[in-house]
Amino acid sequence: MGATKTDHFTDRQNSIATMIKALGHPARIAIIEYLIKVDTCICGDIVNELPLAQPTISQHLKELKNAGLIKGSIEGNSICYCIDKKAIEKLQDYFGNISLKLEKKNC
Amino acid sequence: MGATKTDHFTDRQNSIATMIKALGHPARIAIIEYLIKVDTCICGDIVNELPLAQPTISQHLKELKNAGLIKGSIEGNSICYCIDKKAIEKLQDYFGNISLKLEKKNC
DNA sequence: ATTTAATATTGCAATATTACGATAAAGATT
DNA sequence: AATCTTTATCGTAATATTGCAATATTAAAT
């Protein structure tokens, strides 16, 4: 095996898991945190910031983009990346809702 | 390769990524959501609920536990699992903080 | 038109993850 | 004590992820 059985879970569960999974790597956390700091930047900036090779950064950016966490707009030669606020809000809502539901419960 | 270069990121980044990563799988999302619904339960209940074999569920529970997202207390023969509120709050805070920082920015 | 700059893609090796059957471990039940 | 119940662990196959060198792509600059 090795393949996640996505067909056995709801679309919503798969969708939120995909989004969360994209953030479940320190390099991608670091990219997001760097983007928070600088607002927008190009791939090369991140390559200079993090100890990973350019293709690796490019791959991580692709994953973040596929998950909807960042947006990239072509700016002549380079691509200007930034965080998609809506995605972060979605995650915030998800965990906020869980917290709310847990308040009433005890364990 | 295939091994994450954890040594190149901060402890905080690695720690939050580990926690988030643990939730980045639909089965574990489903387990957490089931736990929210029933408050506490034993492994067997989850095995009955989800379309995965017992060893697979046990493995997912282990990962959630290692990440600090759930707690398990021995209850005679079985183990009573429940969500660790503090962990969820930590995640909520993390995304809440990001949202806050993003409010001031535009992209 | 050539060269330079910035990203993406390809191909590949190393490692990690997912899933499950078989089995072990440990307390409960008879 | 023997059996049942519940969960964990081991072993293993299939697949996915991570990381990078080499190369391709695309636009800018000369």
Side-chain angles (χ1 to χ4, degrees), chain A residues 1-3 21 25 28 51-53 55-56 59-60 63 76-77:
Chain A
M1 309 276 156
K21 186 180 184 181
H25 190 288
R28 295 193 287 268
L52 294 169
T56 307
Q59 199 175 277
H60 283 308
E63 265 180 83
N77 201 6

Side-chain angles (χ1 to χ4, degrees), chain B residues 38-52:
Chain B
V38 299
D39 200 1
T40 66
C41 74
I42 63 174
C43 175
D45 295 335
I46 302 172
V47 173
N48 290 331
E49 188 73 9
L50 301 187
L52 294 169

